[in-house]
Amino acid sequence: MFDSDATVITEPTDAPDLGAPAKHKKPRKKWKIVLIVLLVPVVLASIGLLGGVWYLKSVEGDVVRVDAFAQVPEATRPQKEAAAGEATNFLLLGSDSRDPENDGGSRSDTMIVMHINKERSAAQLISIPRDTWVHIPKSADGQHGNTNAKINAAFAWGGVPLMVQTVEEYTSVRIDHVALVDFSGFKEIVDALGGVDIDVETAFTSTHSLNANSIRKFEKGPQTMDGAAALDYARERYSFKDGDFARIRHQQQVIKAILNKAVSGGVATNPSRLNAFLKATTNTVSVDKDMNLVTMAMDLRHLRSENLAFFTSPTKGTGTIGDQSVVLADKAKTKSLFSAVRKDDSAAIAAIAAESTK
């Protein structure tokens, strides 16, 4: 739930404001991993199981691998619940290196815990606002962390391993796989689909648009957006009273719209178009060393966009700590939500998330 009345907290902190982070030499590619995780089953459904496996093996070598867990102390990691069985938890991380508001690429502006249930029949994607105030463990080099800060500081201070450790500490959910992506390639994905259908919740004007004059007006109601418009829509936060919360909602809308269009828009039944679409995706993705696309595809081949549920980690709204504007977690509801994730209790996840938005 968003609280428009900011709470002022005077807790001292040595955490920097990450508004201008250091440059990152190799920006990662963002929402595309969501497409890989959820569209790979379409390959199997459209060209047959054996053909799909062969295809995935041919493209898997193009995916960049990262060592996500080696520096995460095993003693600090949460254990999985027996009731969860073979349920799998992904951590999806992303930044927007071409966002005019972002003059650096080392932050992780998007954090999503994606839970795939043990039956492989449904998934819950839970966004964690980037400014959520949390405890960040000490980085492997000992130079940063061991303090409270915005959660996106973890990536800047210690890369993927520290982000994994921070999210696991915050949620008590053990992360099985990690993927890194960047919004910069998002426009091409949407254009490859011939646009996506979005129902705009309220009219607004973006002043950081890809248009030449940096202005784009969005009218309320259903509309088809090309890649540039969809990217502008998913980026904007300053036009809304609830800022980043609105951006999270819009990003979730666009993800589902892409999946819907990919399944229903003829991509799966057009081999050349499908090949180009997934090749472009796999060429710009980074995943952990243990992720096997073939195994994952076989496990998730029945999963479709209607089986996805999108939520946001519960908060009490925004506040000020020191000189930083932060998001204040609702610790009790957050604990309950992720406890349900650990137990693979989809009904409880949905109920807690719904209650948090009232």
Side-chain angles (χ1 to χ4, degrees):
M1 178 178 68
F2 178 78
D3 181 359
S4 59
D5 295 324
T7 301
V8 178
I9 301 177
T10 58
E11 177 180 338
T13 175
D14 60 355
D17 186 344
L18 297 180
K23 296 289 184 182
H24 194 285
K25 292 183 179 180
K26 187 177 181 180
R28 304 295 184 181
K29 304 299 177 187
K30 192 177 182 180
W31 290 109
K32 295 181 178 181
I33 188 60
V34 182
L35 302 179
I36 283 184
V37 172
L38 298 171
L39 281 179
V40 157
V42 176
V43 178
L44 296 180
S46 60
I47 62 178
L49 184 60
L50 292 178
V53 169
W54 174 85
Y55 174 81
L56 289 173
K57 285 182 177 179
S58 74
V59 300
E60 190 167 21
D62 294 332
V63 179
V64 175
R65 301 285 174 168
V66 296
D67 197 345
F69 302 104
Q71 295 180 342
V72 182
E74 182 60 34
T76 70
R77 304 196 68 193
Q79 299 303 305
K80 303 195 79 169
E81 297 270 355
E86 296 300 315
T88 305
N89 301 308
F90 290 80
L91 177 60
L92 311 180
L93 303 173
S95 63
D96 190 355
S97 62
R98 293 184 187 175
D99 187 343
E101 304 171 34
N102 183 5
D103 57 5
S106 66
R107 290 178 297 174
S108 177
D109 289 336
T110 300
M111 287 139 281
I112 299 176
V113 174
M114 183 171 72
H115 174 76
I116 310 290
N117 69 1
K118 57 178 173 286
E119 294 85 9
R120 302 296 193 259
S121 61
Q124 294 86 37
L125 291 87
I126 305 171
S127 297
I128 302 175
R130 66 180 188 174
D131 292 339
T132 303
W133 192 253
V134 302
H135 176 262
I136 297 180
K138 183 176 290 187
S139 61
D141 63 9
Q143 300 300 308
H144 303 287
N146 194 28
T147 187
N148 292 335
K150 296 178 182 181
I151 194 169
N152 67 348
F155 191 77
W157 289 345
V160 177
L162 187 59
M163 180 58 81
V164 168
Q165 192 175 354
T166 301
V167 170
E168 288 190 335
E169 181 180 294
Y170 177 62
T171 64
S172 295
V173 170
R174 188 178 181 95
I175 300 300
D176 299 299
H177 294 293
V178 177
L180 300 96
V181 282
D182 183 350
F183 236 171
S184 61
F186 172 82
K187 176 179 176 293
E188 289 74 17
I189 287 290
V190 174
D191 286 337
L193 292 172
V196 293
D197 297 325
I198 300 291
D199 190 354
V200 177
E201 60 183 349
T202 185
F204 69 94
T205 299
S206 169
T207 57
H208 298 285
S209 169
L210 294 178
N211 285 337
N213 64 356
S214 299
I215 302 294
R216 187 187 302 273
K217 295 183 182 295
F218 290 90
E219 301 299 328
K220 180 180 179 179
Q223 52 205 268
T224 299
M225 297 184 188
D226 63 11
L231 180 53
D232 287 346
Y233 180 73
R235 273 178 173 168
E236 183 62 36
R237 63 188 175 111
Y238 290 119
S239 295
F240 309 101
K241 290 182 178 179
D242 53 352
D244 205 45
F245 295 91
R247 178 161 62 175
I248 286 172
R249 290 196 304 274
H250 296 165
Q251 288 176 346
Q252 293 173 344
Q253 267 188 292
V254 172
I255 291 172
K256 193 159 189 176
I258 289 173
L259 294 171
N260 284 334
K261 187 63 176 289
V263 172
S264 63
V267 176
T269 57
N270 184 324
S272 62
R273 190 175 180 187
L274 178 64
N275 183 68
F277 181 67
L278 291 182
K279 274 284 190 182
T281 302
T282 55
N283 286 341
T284 55
V285 165
S286 301
V287 300
D288 67 87
K289 291 183 175 180
D290 296 327
M291 187 184 292
N292 185 306
L293 291 182
V294 175
T295 299
M296 180 184 64
M298 294 179 70
D299 284 346
L300 305 183
R301 62 186 180 275
H302 300 301
L303 197 62
R304 295 293 183 270
S305 60
E306 59 266 24
N307 307 126
L308 308 182
F310 294 85
F311 307 110
T312 300
S313 185
T315 79
K316 292 184 176 180
T318 59
T320 302
I321 297 181
D323 61 352
Q324 299 187 66
S325 175
V326 304
V327 171
L328 305 171
D330 187 321
K331 294 182 180 179
K333 290 181 179 179
T334 295
K335 182 177 180 180
S336 296
L337 175 65
F338 287 109
S339 176
V341 171
R342 290 197 308 277
K343 296 173 182 176
D344 191 38
D345 189 340
S346 298
I349 294 171
I352 296 166
E355 179 65 26
S356 299
T357 61
K358 293 181 179 178

